[in-house]
Amino acid sequence: MYDSDTIAAISTAVGGAGIGIVRISGSDALQVGDHVFFSPGGKKQLSAQKSHTVHYGYVKDDGQIVDEVLVTLMRAPRSFTTEDTVEINCHGGVYATRRVLETVLKNGARPAEPGEFTKRAFLNGRIDLSQAESVIDVIQAKNEYALQNSLGQLRGSLRREIHALRERILYQTAFIESALDDPEHYSLDGYPPKLHLEVEDLSGKIEKLISSSDNGRIIKEGISTVILGKPNVGKSSLLNVLAGEDRAIVTDIAGTTRDTLEETVSLGGITLNVIDTAGIRNTEDYIEQIGVCKAQEMAKTADLVLYVVDSSAALDENDDKILSLLDHKKAIVLLNKSDLKPVTTSEEVRSFVGGRYPVIEISAKEETGLDALEQTLKTLFYHGDLTSHDEVTITSARQKAELIHAKDSLENVLESISMGLSEDFFSIDLMDAYAALGRIIGKEVGEDLVNEIFGRFCMGK
Ligand code: GDP
């Protein structure tokens, strides 16, 4: 399937760092190691050492020391790629690491393509495609939730689920085929209604995976959040507190936030992509009007609206307008300035929003109420807590498209059953669903797709 020639790359980020790792993998990895690595006594041959051992010494180029190193040796098949692998831990820093790589390349390895180590792990059957994709997600994880989710997938949570679905589909197809071939021993009497039940159940499970993708995107990229509220209620102050810096301009003249600002903030391991908007109110100021329209637009597409209300002022018709924007959205009402004497109480706000949204008292000035906000976010988006959240979540658009394909094929089976078509029609669509699910874990995928997926990896992974 591929050349098991020996590849090498720097696997750590190149820059001023304590350690840099040059990874070598392939059938000649140990020989390349022998050529470049020298123990202090000069006698030790890497290729004569046991697997999973670490060795101290030097990398030398034409007899000249390039760096002082520690080398880890992993023999096939007990390595990430399942090939012989040598990892050279040298000093970090651009020049030292590059010189070590250069020496390795001079001695029989070729530069690896981005993602080529993981691609080999996949092609050698050590991991499936869903696990390979999760390797990128682990590397790019921006928060604890994203990390835990990707690690779950890396450990095979999605693979197991897909595998179970495929087994059930295969069983039905095998039964149909056997019955068609050998009607004396396998009877199809009364089979269609049973198949209908089974396919409905399978389809429901796939639907659940498809709908998990929305949550998957939120986990991976963060919750797109819009802060709405009248001018001067403390929207910019809230954003500043969340971001921990003076990013937005805070003033007490109504209408200073004219355009929108976006900030990625983290609250207890949850990533929020917060958009601060111009205060919503009827305005004569043209520039401000543009900002207001934009705020309304953004509220429509956001995952979450934080609606800020000033507890030291009364609710008015502008609040009615904002409330109407929240329809069918996940929203939290933040009753700000709770450090001041209240004019509007949380009971009043609760009855104003008809109990449809949680109301939390906060003070952006004194930074209180943020724990309650964090807890509410977890309830709204992560069913409380991720540590107890072991559901499989889809994070890739490719996986989602294949699930939709599989579901459509199963819907076709249901339709064929309802129309009373013959059994061979069922098995065509069942096999189509089987193949679509298979592509998620990398069964029968084309070379182009494999190259496209691994091309997205960083160098050295
Ligand atoms: P925005 O127009 O909604 O973005 O409001 P700002 O964040 O610019 O705040 C308007 C005014 O309210 C500023 O003077 C803030 O210092 C003040 N403010 C914001 N939050 C609080 C709060 O929690 N308590 C008090 N006492 N003042 C606040």
Side-chain angles (χ1 to χ4, degrees):
M1 274 213 279
Y2 73 94
D3 218 353
S4 69
D5 63 343
T6 302
I7 54 173
I10 300 171
S11 285
T12 40
V14 181
I19 295 170
I21 298 178
V22 173
R23 186 193 251 172
I24 312 166
S25 177
S27 48
D28 292 335
L30 299 176
Q31 285 67 32
V32 174
D34 279 344
H35 282 132
V36 303
F37 174 78
F38 297 87
S39 61
K43 288 195 186 124
K44 212 174 193 176
Q45 286 262 302
L46 270 186
S47 55
Q49 307 304 316
K50 285 197 184 125
S51 185
H52 292 72
T53 50
V54 180
H55 308 274
Y56 167 78
Y58 303 98
V59 165
K60 287 189 188 172
D61 184 8
D62 281 340
Q64 198 193 350
I65 293 180
V66 173
D67 200 1
E68 187 184 17
V69 298
L70 272 182
V71 171
T72 314
L73 188 142
M74 285 157 282
R75 287 181 184 272
R78 290 171 57 212
S79 73
F80 180 61
T81 54
T82 78
E83 303 169 335
D84 281 343
T85 300
V86 170
E87 284 183 4
I88 305 177
N89 288 242
C90 56
H91 286 100
V94 181
Y95 193 70
T97 340
R98 291 234 168 102
R99 276 289 284 128
V100 171
L101 176 64
E102 208 178 275
T103 311
V104 165
L105 296 179
K106 255 165 96 177
N107 285 279
R110 73 157 167 85
E113 314 265 328
E116 197 169 359
F117 294 96
T118 316
K119 184 175 170 181
R120 288 183 172 199
F122 165 65
L123 292 176
N124 289 326
R126 190 181 171 279
I127 54 174
D128 73 22
L129 205 53
S130 73
Q131 289 171 301
E133 284 177 305
S134 66
V135 171
I136 317 182
D137 290 345
V138 170
I139 294 173
Q140 293 177 345
K142 284 195 235 154
N143 57 54
E144 189 60 29
Y145 290 87
L147 180 63
Q148 290 306 329
N149 190 58
S150 327
L151 285 174
Q153 214 178 95
L154 182 59
R155 286 199 302 268
S157 56
L158 180 61
R159 184 193 58 194
R160 282 190 291 278
E161 183 118 1
I162 296 292
H163 185 75
L165 293 169
R166 289 182 94 219
E167 287 287 294
R168 286 171 61 185
I169 294 176
L170 195 62
Y171 178 86
Q172 298 304 327
T173 325
F175 181 78
I176 294 170
E177 297 301 323
S178 311
L180 293 175
D181 282 351
D182 184 6
E184 277 179 31
H185 291 96
Y186 298 94
S187 163
L188 286 169
D189 283 349
Y191 174 68
K194 279 190 208 147
L195 179 65
H196 198 281
L197 278 180
E198 174 72 354
V199 171
E200 261 182 348
D201 188 64
L202 288 165
S203 180
K205 292 219 153 54
I206 293 174
E207 177 56 40
K208 208 166 146 219
L209 283 174
I210 295 171
S211 52
S212 79
S213 70
D214 214 23
N215 216 14
R217 177 187 58 77
I218 284 172
I219 289 176
K220 194 164 151 182
E221 294 164 15
I223 303 168
S224 72
T225 307
V226 167
I227 304 183
L228 292 183
K230 290 182 295 188
N232 251 12
V233 295
K235 297 182 298 300
S236 310
S237 307
L238 171 69
L239 180 58
N240 288 343
V241 171
L242 291 174
E245 60 183 89
D246 280 344
R247 174 78 171 74
I249 324 143
V250 182
T251 64
D252 38 19
I253 308 156
T256 26
T257 314
R258 296 218 165 150
D259 206 345
T260 52
L261 291 166
E262 192 171 337
E263 189 87 42
T264 298
V265 303
S266 180
L267 195 64
I270 303 171
T271 304
L272 298 179
N273 299 316
V274 186
I275 303 152
D276 180 23
T277 59
I280 299 230
R281 58 161 190 182
N282 289 320
T283 171
E284 298 294 314
D285 183 328
Y286 179 66
I287 303 175
E288 215 180 286
Q289 251 178 14
I290 297 176
V292 173
C293 291
K294 227 170 160 179
Q296 295 176 338
E297 237 1 83
M298 286 180 167
K300 273 189 208 151
T301 53
D303 300 316
L304 169 73
V305 175
L306 292 178
Y307 168 25
V308 184
V309 175
D310 182 347
S311 66
S312 70
L315 294 167
D316 60 28
E317 72 281 2
N318 289 313
D319 289 293
D320 294 324
K321 173 128 208 236
I322 298 172
L323 189 61
S324 70
L325 294 176
L326 304 188
D327 228 12
H328 308 299
K329 293 229 71 95
K330 281 188 178 164
I332 300 173
V333 185
L334 298 174
L335 189 56
N336 190 32
K337 309 197 189 180
S338 61
D339 54 294
L340 299 178
K341 194 170 172 297
V343 172
T344 304
T345 63
S346 49
E347 284 67 39
E348 280 172 79
V349 178
R350 269 192 198 100
S351 88
F352 171 65
V353 301
R356 274 175 295 166
Y357 311 105
V359 178
I360 301 169
E361 286 186 29
I362 64 161
S363 163
K365 188 175 169 199
E366 305 200 327
E367 306 191 8
T368 56
L370 298 176
D371 288 348
L373 172 58
E374 184 187 320
Q375 225 30 67
T376 309
L377 285 171
K378 282 184 181 161
T379 314
L380 274 182
F381 288 93
Y382 302 113
H383 314 288
D385 185 15
L386 197 84
T387 45
S388 63
H389 175 76
D390 51 3
E391 268 172 50
V392 180
T393 311
I394 302 297
T395 51
S396 126
R398 183 189 79 83
Q399 294 168 357
K400 185 178 178 182
E402 296 294 5
L403 286 168
I404 291 173
H405 185 140
K407 183 158 187 286
D408 287 348
S409 303
L410 293 183
E411 295 298 325
N412 288 343
V413 177
L414 294 177
E415 205 177 305
S416 304
I417 296 174
S418 308
M419 288 164 69
L421 297 181
S422 77
E423 281 77 7
D424 37 0
F425 281 96
F426 310 162
S427 64
I428 293 171
D429 287 319
L430 282 171
M431 282 322 280
D432 199 42
Y434 181 80
L437 292 175
R439 287 191 292 273
I440 293 177
I441 52 177
K443 304 265 182 217
E444 294 161 51
V445 287
E447 201 183 325
D448 288 356
L449 176 69
V450 171
N451 289 338
E452 201 267 316
I453 288 174
F454 289 101
R456 279 185 254 146
F457 275 64
C458 45
M459 199 53 101
K461 188 61 222 175

